Amino acid sequence: MGQKIITKNSLFYGDNLEIVRQYMADETIDLIYLDPPFNSSRNYNVLYKDESGLESEAQIVAFEDTWHWSKQTTEPEFEELQRRGDKLAELLTTLVSVIGRTPMTAYLVMMSSRLIELQRVLKPTGSLYLHCDPTASHYLKMILDMIFGAGNFINEISWKRTSSHNRAKRWGPVHDVIFYYSKSNEPTWNRVLEGLDENYVKSFYKYIDDKGSYRLSDLTGPGIRAGDCGKPWKGIDPTLKGRHWEVPPDRSLPAWFIFPENYATMSVQERLDILNAQGFIYFPKRKEGIPSFKRYLLENSGATIQDVITDIQPISAQAAERLGYPTQKPLALLERIIQASSNPGDVVLDPFCGCGTAVHAAQKLGRIWIGIDITRLATTLIKSRLYDAFGIEAKKDYNLIGEPTTLSEARHLAKQDRYQFQWWALGLIPARPQGGQADSKEGKKGKDRGIDGVMTFQDSTSGLHKRIIIQVKSGKVSPSHIRDLIGTVESAKAAMGVFITLEPPSHEMEIAALNAPKWHSDTFNRDYPKIQILTIEELLNGAKVQFPG
């Protein structure tokens, strides 16, 4: 498949370098956000550990080659970059010469190859936001300057990602860095406001009248002026104070202000009379004082976003959006970036999309999105997330590229890696991988207690959700598996259980599932199978889990 303009939401499984090269044409992307993993600690990408803290059998290190200089991958990429013969090639050659062929330089080579391609596909009005921690940010900044041009660096944004970190011999590391670059000197930019700080409101909005809380702002500006703005009003001469009248611009007036038809052509003194008549001017008790303008809290949506973000909190352990993914970022953070640097209908790309926060935000804000990840756990989490949040499904509502589409491809994946197969199979429903739920009621990550995935549905006016337990098997299956699932459903107090199998179930397994008690929905007044068996072949042909909703 050649390069083309992607006009539909698309989720890719695979190496983002090859996918961007193969599928994406020059200057077709409006906004790129990337949060590339870096091995700041040895097990940065370990998603699961057992209770002893040891890595579980199910762990996946998504970019294992990234942390090691490999003859098969890193060396060819490095040689390709050197053949460019440009300043970036000189920089990388120098870094490798000084630092050596280390995990750090392997990472920088990997990032350089990808950032070149990302710069290629970005529109002239496009922007790139690279999220990183201080471990490699200084190196990445140099590489970005080489690729995008130092003149297209716009901001280094600091996000306070945690409230505190106690370190014995250093300042607590509490922030991440986000580099903001543009493709040209005319990037898309929208004015976005951040919420008002509670302490700021208490400190400044100290006055109250029948219209609400307000603060005082100047009605005058520094310097003497001729004309109306320098003339007295209500016996107050601003010239004597070395100032002049400065009537608030129309945009700063609240929605309830009534504009007379000829307001724009009135003199300064006449407009001050109108403002005063409608109660927007505050007169100090001191006769010699200068009156002020009332700015009401209800009309203040907040301050323009700043390059130090402290009003977006990290995802707490109890947060509804928490998926248990180790590098998950708050949805509000991605919404702010997307709102600032793109418009509805624009194309947003996240080439390291992880659990899909950028994808979620783009979908919510009416952008076309492209997500790429090299782990099936990530693509499965995203499919489940999109279904839970928006009710949209792969293939029907967005393109899904790079995953098995036939039974033979599924068998091949199962032979390669049974955990990758398990996560892919969960995505066919879609269900959320149990290991990805750090806040699961089972309280365990590594030992899943017979639970590979979970689905939820609402079947009451109380808003509480019922759970469906999912088990996935890629090998031989028997009736004992169904009996075990029944026990797991009962012990977990779940509504139903689903058994996904690559191999066809036996007649005895089907009978065991049929003999299980039904689950009754009071809302829909009907029964549903409490235990359901679905084969991979059936799921590929469109079979669905039966549940209310």
Side-chain angles (χ1 to χ4, degrees):
M1 185 175 183
Q3 295 175 350
K4 67 173 187 175
I5 298 174
I6 297 176
T7 58
K8 182 179 179 181
N9 296 334
S10 302
L11 180 59
F12 290 84
Y13 164 78
D15 182 348
N16 51 26
L17 179 61
E18 298 307 317
I19 289 169
V20 172
R21 283 175 171 172
Q22 180 180 357
Y23 286 90
M24 298 179 197
D26 296 353
E27 299 187 346
T28 55
I29 306 298
D30 295 281
L31 172 63
I32 298 172
Y33 169 84
L34 61 158
D35 183 10
F38 181 70
N39 196 25
S40 53
S41 62
R42 188 178 68 87
N43 293 325
Y44 187 99
N45 284 293
V46 174
L47 300 182
Y48 309 117
K49 290 184 179 180
D50 65 24
E51 291 178 303
S52 67
L54 299 175
E55 298 169 14
S56 75
E57 185 183 6
Q59 81 171 42
I60 173 169
V61 181
F63 294 89
E64 189 174 14
D65 287 343
T66 302
W67 321 136
H68 304 285
W69 193 284
S70 165
K71 290 183 179 180
Q72 290 73 35
T73 56
T74 318
E75 195 68 35
E77 278 192 40
F78 180 50
E79 291 173 357
E80 181 181 345
L81 290 165
Q82 285 182 306
R83 286 193 292 271
R84 291 169 58 91
D86 56 9
K87 294 294 184 182
L88 176 61
E90 290 182 27
L91 173 63
L92 291 171
T93 301
T94 301
L95 289 173
V96 172
S97 175
V98 173
I99 301 174
R101 284 170 165 76
T102 66
M104 173 62 80
T105 51
Y107 175 76
L108 297 176
V109 166
M110 182 277 288
M111 286 302 302
S112 296
S113 298
R114 284 150 181 81
L115 286 168
I116 289 168
E117 291 300 318
L118 295 177
Q119 195 270 353
R120 173 184 67 80
V121 303
L122 203 59
K123 290 182 180 178
T125 55
S127 300
L128 177 139
Y129 289 79
L130 191 155
H131 196 135
C132 55
D133 68 16
T135 312
S137 59
H138 48 303
Y139 295 118
L140 290 171
K141 175 68 166 59
M142 290 192 293
I143 289 169
L144 287 163
D145 282 349
M146 294 294 102
I147 295 172
F148 283 83
N152 288 324
F153 167 69
I154 299 179
N155 280 112
E156 177 178 319
I157 303 164
S158 294
W159 171 54
K160 187 179 178 183
R161 58 176 167 77
T162 185
S163 57
S164 65
H165 254 305
N166 296 322
R167 293 291 185 269
K169 295 183 179 181
R170 65 166 172 157
W171 301 58
V174 297
H175 82 285
D176 279 358
V177 172
I178 304 173
F179 291 127
Y180 169 29
Y181 280 77
S182 62
K183 179 74 171 278
S184 70
N185 60 0
E186 295 184 355
T188 297
W189 180 255
N190 301 308
R191 185 169 180 262
V192 177
L193 302 178
E194 62 183 29
L196 292 173
D197 180 75
E198 185 177 344
N199 292 327
Y200 172 82
V201 172
K202 289 180 181 178
S203 298
F204 288 92
Y205 288 86
K206 297 184 282 190
Y207 306 93
I208 299 176
D209 63 13
D210 58 345
K211 298 184 183 72
S213 300
Y214 65 91
R215 67 179 178 88
L216 301 178
S217 64
D218 287 337
L219 265 177
T220 63
I224 296 172
R225 299 284 189 273
D228 288 345
C229 62
K231 295 178 180 178
W233 175 70
K234 288 194 176 297
I236 303 167
D237 189 350
T239 301
L240 298 177
K241 307 282 187 181
R243 302 181 70 82
H244 64 277
W245 296 114
E246 217 171 56
V247 179
D250 294 355
R251 67 178 181 274
S252 69
L253 294 167
W256 63 80
F257 180 76
I258 302 171
F259 286 93
E261 289 184 9
N262 58 343
Y263 182 79
T265 60
M266 287 181 176
S267 68
V268 169
Q269 284 70 25
E270 287 173 326
R271 279 183 281 170
L272 289 171
D273 283 336
I274 296 296
L275 289 169
N276 186 42
Q278 295 193 33
F280 289 100
I281 295 182
Y282 172 88
F283 288 88
K285 293 180 180 179
R286 294 182 296 110
K287 291 182 180 180
E288 66 274 14
I290 295 179
S292 302
F293 177 66
K294 297 179 181 179
R295 293 189 183 274
Y296 287 90
L297 178 60
L298 288 175
E299 291 296 314
N300 192 345
S301 301
T304 304
I305 52 176
Q306 307 295 305
D307 66 2
V308 177
I309 302 175
T310 59
D311 64 316
I312 296 178
Q313 300 301 312
I315 302 172
S316 69
Q318 293 76 34
E321 68 176 282
R322 183 177 178 86
L323 299 174
Y325 204 82
T327 59
Q328 183 179 355
K329 303 301 184 292
L331 184 62
L333 179 64
L334 272 299
E335 287 180 2
R336 181 170 295 180
I337 290 171
I338 290 171
Q339 286 172 329
S341 293
S342 70
N343 296 309
D346 283 354
V347 180
V348 177
L349 166 64
D350 185 348
F352 297 89
C353 60
C355 63
T357 303
V359 167
H360 186 151
Q363 176 71 31
K364 181 179 177 181
L365 296 172
R367 275 64 167 174
I368 298 169
W369 53 262
I370 303 169
I372 309 171
D373 206 276
I374 202 167
T375 72
R376 298 189 193 277
L377 173 64
T379 55
T380 295
L381 280 171
I382 294 169
K383 284 187 279 185
S384 174
R385 184 173 189 170
L386 291 172
Y387 184 79
D388 290 345
F390 307 105
I392 63 175
E393 300 179 42
K395 299 182 183 179
K396 183 176 74 174
D397 299 303
Y398 56 90
N399 294 322
L400 180 62
I401 302 164
E403 295 205 334
T405 57
T406 66
L407 186 60
S408 61
E409 290 173 349
R411 292 188 185 280
H412 179 70
L413 174 60
K415 289 180 180 178
Q416 284 185 316
D417 190 317
R418 66 189 182 96
Y419 289 108
Q420 293 274 14
F421 171 84
Q422 174 183 300
W423 292 323
W424 166 76
L426 291 170
L428 295 175
I429 300 183
R432 182 176 298 176
Q434 178 61 19
Q437 290 182 297
D439 57 348
S440 68
K441 294 182 180 178
E442 283 71 34
K444 298 184 180 181
K445 293 182 185 178
K447 297 181 179 180
D448 57 28
R449 298 175 63 185
I451 304 175
D452 297 322
V454 174
M455 294 177 66
T456 61
F457 65 93
Q458 189 174 330
D459 189 44
S460 71
T461 56
S462 65
L464 297 176
H465 285 73
K466 308 292 185 182
R467 294 196 305 154
I468 303 175
I469 300 302
I470 317 294
Q471 288 185 354
V472 180
K473 300 296 179 185
S474 58
K476 294 181 179 180
V477 290
S478 68
S480 63
H481 289 121
I482 302 302
R483 291 192 292 270
D484 290 342
L485 176 58
I486 293 171
T488 300
V489 169
E490 291 175 352
S491 63
K493 297 181 179 179
M496 304 177 194
V498 174
F499 189 82
I500 299 176
T501 173
L502 180 61
E503 302 300 330
S506 66
H507 177 69
E508 290 77 9
M509 291 173 65
E510 293 175 336
I511 294 299
L514 289 171
N515 286 337
K518 304 293 183 183
W519 190 85
H520 183 76
S521 167
D522 294 329
T523 302
F524 292 87
N525 193 27
R526 59 168 288 191
D527 291 332
Y528 293 86
K530 192 175 184 69
I531 302 297
Q532 301 175 40
I533 302 175
L534 290 170
T535 66
I536 293 296
E537 185 173 19
E538 289 170 336
L539 290 171
L540 288 172
N541 289 327
K544 303 286 185 183
V545 178
Q546 300 178 52
F547 64 93

